[in-house]
């Protein structure tokens, strides 16, 4: 039996159409060179910039290509903190480590972490004090799929005169993302979460927002991300963004239907599993907590059966600490360790889902039999 990949929030399979579009650009010219080879590469980057901008409702000139969202988040947050001379930053307790750890590592910066409810949704404060210079709230959480009230935070940030950043990695290509409707100043996204290549991301910077550059060494990407551009990866990002936008509605409906299939089968087979479902969520993600079995053991059991899933955040798997996201939602250490994440991609089928739940039931029951 072919393996079933259900770890899309860690990374998605490369779309073969994206791969085709990338291939001619692997050995192309330097996009900064004025000769024909360079101009052709520059045009390809510009077309990709248009496609990424269209995905988020932005102007192309405001899109800066990066090596991924980790770098985009760092350029945004450190750049904004330094430009504003900010002494305090506000974020949620469930941010991705590329936001949380980046902020926490800034010497002298007071980082206030907004609590979340049991479903992982950030609890909006009444107001933000004017001492807050930068606010960062992710659009969709990578572990639970919970969609955060970003536009409400953006309003508070505006009232406090703070710069508003959102990590939209898990939302882009899954739900409609529009920078104007969100009211944010900075937005990060990543190609490999939408069937594009790894190593390509983007930071959208609203015109007029000041960022202190992290790097020096060139004027590429408006001086915010100097270095010769990875044209093939950027072209791949552009193609992935185009396909993601064209398929947005169909993909959502597909995931919503598959969610019903997944949850019904899970409730029938393992009724004591807690499913962390936020009221507004990305429909491809299921965060599950079992009362009595370790997530790591379930992951390994499923892997042997041919299914790829994750425990908590895939980005930190291998780390000893249980998920900070689930802990922030009120789960104890044990609960966080007894959790797995199943995340569907654009081509996940109903049979993938039903087979995965059947294997999950077998694995969990097998582990129970072992320990019982
Ligand atoms: N933010 C979120 C919410 C993510 O899920 C990820 C990827 N795990 C990142 C940022 C980092 O993205 P990249 O892999 O492109 O650096």
């Amino acid at each position: 039996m072919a393996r079933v990949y259900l770890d899309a929030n860690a990374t998605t399979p490369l779309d073969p159409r994206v791969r085709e579009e990338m291939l001619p650009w692997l050995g192309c010219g330097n996009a900064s060179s004025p000769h024909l080879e360079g101009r052709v590469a520059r045009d390809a980057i510009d077309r990709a910039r248009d496609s990424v901008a269209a995905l988020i409702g932005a102007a192309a000139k405001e899109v800066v290509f990066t090596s991924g969202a980790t770098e985009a988040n760092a350029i945004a947050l450190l750049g904004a903190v330094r430009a504003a001379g900010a002494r305090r930053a506000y974020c949620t307790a469930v941010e991705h480590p590329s936001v949380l750890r980046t902020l926490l590592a800034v010497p002298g910066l007071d980082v206030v972490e907004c609590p979340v409810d049991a479903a992982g949704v950030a609890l909006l404060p009444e107001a933000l004090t004017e001492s807050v210079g930068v606010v960062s709230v992710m659009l969709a959480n990578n572990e639970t799929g919970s969609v955060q009230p970003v536009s409400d935070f953006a309003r508070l940030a505006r009232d406090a005169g703070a710069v508003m950043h959102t990590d939209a990695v898990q939302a882009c290509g899954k739900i409609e993302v529009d920078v104007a409707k969100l009211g944010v100043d900075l937005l990060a996204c990543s190609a490999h979460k939408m069937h594009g290549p790894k190593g390509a991301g983007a930071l959208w910077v609203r015109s007029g927002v000041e960022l202190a550059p992290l790097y020096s060494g060139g004027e590429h990407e408006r001086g915010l991300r100097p270095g010769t551009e990875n044209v093939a990866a950027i072209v791949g990002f552009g193609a992935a963004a185009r396909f993601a936008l064209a398929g947005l509605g169909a993909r959502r409906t597909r995931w919503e239907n598959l969610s019903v299939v997944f949850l019904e089968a899970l409730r029938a087979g393992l009724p004591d599993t807690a499913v962390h479902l936020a009221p507004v969520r990305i429909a491809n993600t299921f965060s599950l907590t079992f009362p009595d079995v370790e997530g790591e053991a379930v992951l390994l059991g499923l892997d042997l059966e041919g299914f790829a899933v994750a425990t908590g955040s895939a980005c930190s798997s291998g780390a000893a600490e249980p998920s900070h996201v689930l802990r922030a939602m009120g789960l104890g250490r044990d609960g966080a360790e007894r959790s797995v994440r199943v995340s569907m991609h654009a081509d996940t089928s109903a049979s993938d889902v039903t087979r995965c739940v059947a294997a999950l039931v077998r694995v969990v029951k097998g582990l129970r039999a072992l320990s019982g």
Side-chain angles (χ1 to χ4, degrees):
M1 270 280 199
R3 280 185 66 85
V4 174
Y5 182 80
L6 288 165
D7 194 12
N9 287 10
T11 196
T12 51
L14 187 66
D15 184 329
R17 297 168 300 174
V18 171
R19 184 195 184 90
E20 275 307 300
E21 291 195 29
M22 288 173 67
L23 287 175
W25 299 99
L26 283 167
C28 68
N30 184 327
S32 299
S33 304
H35 47 57
L36 179 66
E37 287 79 355
R39 293 199 308 275
V40 168
R42 170 65 46 206
D43 281 352
I45 291 181
D46 286 345
R47 282 196 301 277
R49 206 183 302 279
D50 288 342
S51 302
V52 172
L55 182 65
I56 57 172
K61 64 176 180 3
E62 298 172 338
V63 172
V64 172
F65 283 120
T66 65
S67 66
T70 299
E71 189 181 45
N73 284 336
I75 294 172
L77 295 169
L78 298 177
V81 165
R82 289 175 193 173
R87 300 199 157 213
R88 179 168 291 163
Y90 195 91
C91 67
T92 75
V94 296
E95 294 303 314
H96 187 265
S98 61
V99 167
L100 210 45
R101 292 198 198 154
T102 297
L103 288 173
L104 289 170
V106 179
L109 185 70
D110 177 22
V111 181
V112 182
E113 291 177 38
C114 172
V116 299
D117 65 16
V121 181
L123 299 164
L124 198 73
E126 261 177 33
L128 292 170
T129 60
E130 292 193 354
S131 61
V132 173
V134 176
V135 179
S136 180
V137 177
M138 71 197 324
L139 190 45
N141 185 268
N142 44 307
E143 295 191 36
T144 62
S146 59
V147 172
Q148 304 295 337
V150 170
S151 55
D152 294 332
F153 276 96
R155 186 174 34 79
L156 296 184
R158 211 168 29 249
D159 292 347
V163 175
M164 178 74 202
H165 164 263
T166 188
D167 171 347
V169 168
Q170 297 290 349
C172 288
K174 295 179 184 167
I175 54 172
E176 188 206 4
V177 175
D178 183 310
V179 290
K181 285 189 193 157
L182 289 172
V184 295
D185 299 307
L186 301 161
L187 176 146
C189 56
S190 182
H192 74 105
K193 310 286 185 178
M194 55 175 98
H195 299 273
K198 291 163 210 22
L203 174 64
W204 170 78
V205 186
R206 179 189 294 286
S207 289
V209 171
E210 284 288 318
L211 293 181
L214 300 196
Y215 311 110
S216 41
E219 290 310 310
H220 312 77
E221 299 302 309
R222 296 165 43 197
L224 288 172
R225 209 291 183 168
T228 306
E229 292 92 341
N230 183 349
V231 182
I234 291 171
V235 166
F237 190 6
R242 233 175 46 240
F243 294 130
L245 186 58
L248 203 59
R251 198 172 287 183
R252 257 187 104 158
T253 311
R254 180 192 190 96
W255 285 334
E256 275 159 15
N257 293 335
L258 291 178
S259 286
V260 175
V261 175
F262 183 92
L263 293 172
E264 274 180 4
L266 183 75
R267 282 179 185 139
L270 294 172
D272 52 4
T273 306
V275 189
H276 309 292
L277 295 175
V280 189
R281 57 184 280 271
I282 302 283
N284 80 314
T285 308
F286 306 103
S287 170
L288 315 175
T289 302
F290 310 104
D292 49 1
V293 292
E294 296 287 307
E296 196 74 27
V298 174
L299 180 152
L300 295 175
L302 281 176
D303 191 35
L304 286 175
E305 294 233 11
F307 298 85
V309 301
T311 54
S313 164
C315 312
S316 61
S317 54
E321 277 305 298
S323 154
H324 71 287
V325 173
L326 298 175
R327 298 283 277 131
M329 287 159 58
L331 269 76
R333 207 186 156 94
D334 285 354
E337 279 172 351
R338 290 174 184 156
S339 301
V340 300
R341 177 188 72 189
V342 177
S343 50
M344 303 182 281
H345 57 77
D347 299 320
T348 300
S349 67
S351 124
D352 293 342
V353 167
T354 45
R355 283 176 50 214
C356 175
V357 179
L360 190 62
V361 173
R362 273 196 305 279
V363 167
V364 170
K365 289 189 172 165
L367 289 167
R368 282 180 184 159
L370 277 181
S371 64

